[in-house]
Amino acid sequence: QERLMESGGGFVQPGGSLRLSCARSSSAYSVKRMGWYRQVQGKERSLVATITPRGDTISADAVKGRVTLSMDNAKTTVTLQLNHLKPEDTAVYYCAADSGPYYRGSYYYTLEEEYDYWGQGTQVTVSS
């Protein structure tokens, strides 16, 4: 069973940058897509960005142009870098893994309910 753990959250002033990491438990299996979501207390969870093992990325409008996703060579770690941070970026950030099968859903997208594994989240606070 896949296990995910986020790290790198913390406090940062507006305009700063943060780099979050999502560590998978094993590199023995491939994933279809990895996703980053965020959630504000009392609000619905929303998409931040997604990445495939081949490096194809999608980002939400709220972070477009400010976000960079990458995978390491072993495909065990996904990194989310968010620049020009705003107070509205404050949230708990979650990593999610779509383990497939490859023929489920869309080749280009993974719906939130289609992700098979979720991390516990890491808090990001943007404030002066």
Side-chain angles (χ1 to χ4, degrees):
Q1 182 175 327
E2 181 71 276
R3 293 183 290 107
L4 306 175
M5 185 171 68
E6 304 95 338
S7 63
F11 180 89
V12 64
Q13 291 188 320
S17 299
L18 278 180
R19 181 175 295 171
L20 307 180
S21 294
C22 174
R24 297 173 58 201
S25 61
S26 174
S27 61
Y29 304 98
S30 298
V31 296
K32 181 181 180 181
R33 182 170 289 104
M34 301 291 295
W36 280 95
Y37 284 75
R38 63 186 181 183
Q39 185 172 32
V40 178
Q41 184 71 30
K43 301 289 186 178
E44 293 292 317
R45 190 164 54 194
S46 61
L47 174 70
V48 179
T50 68
I51 187 170
T52 71
R54 294 154 300 282
D56 301 314
T57 59
I58 297 173
S59 60
D61 289 342
V63 298
K64 198 176 297 292
R66 303 188 294 123
V67 65
T68 301
L69 261 66
S70 62
M71 276 190 178
D72 68 336
N73 291 333
K75 314 302 180 184
T76 57
T77 302
V78 177
T79 299
L80 171 71
Q81 182 169 348
L82 189 57
N83 303 316
H84 309 292
L85 288 163
K86 308 173 182 179
E88 50 263 44
D89 293 320
T90 296
V92 177
Y93 284 70
Y94 296 92
C95 178
D98 176 6
S99 63
Y102 73 92
Y103 52 81
R104 182 183 66 184
S106 174
Y107 176 85
Y108 302 100
Y109 303 95
T110 298
L111 299 174
E112 182 176 354
E113 61 267 29
E114 293 175 330
Y115 283 100
D116 300 288
Y117 307 103
W118 293 84
Q120 294 300 305
T122 184
Q123 177 71 48
V124 173
T125 302
V126 184
S127 177
S128 298

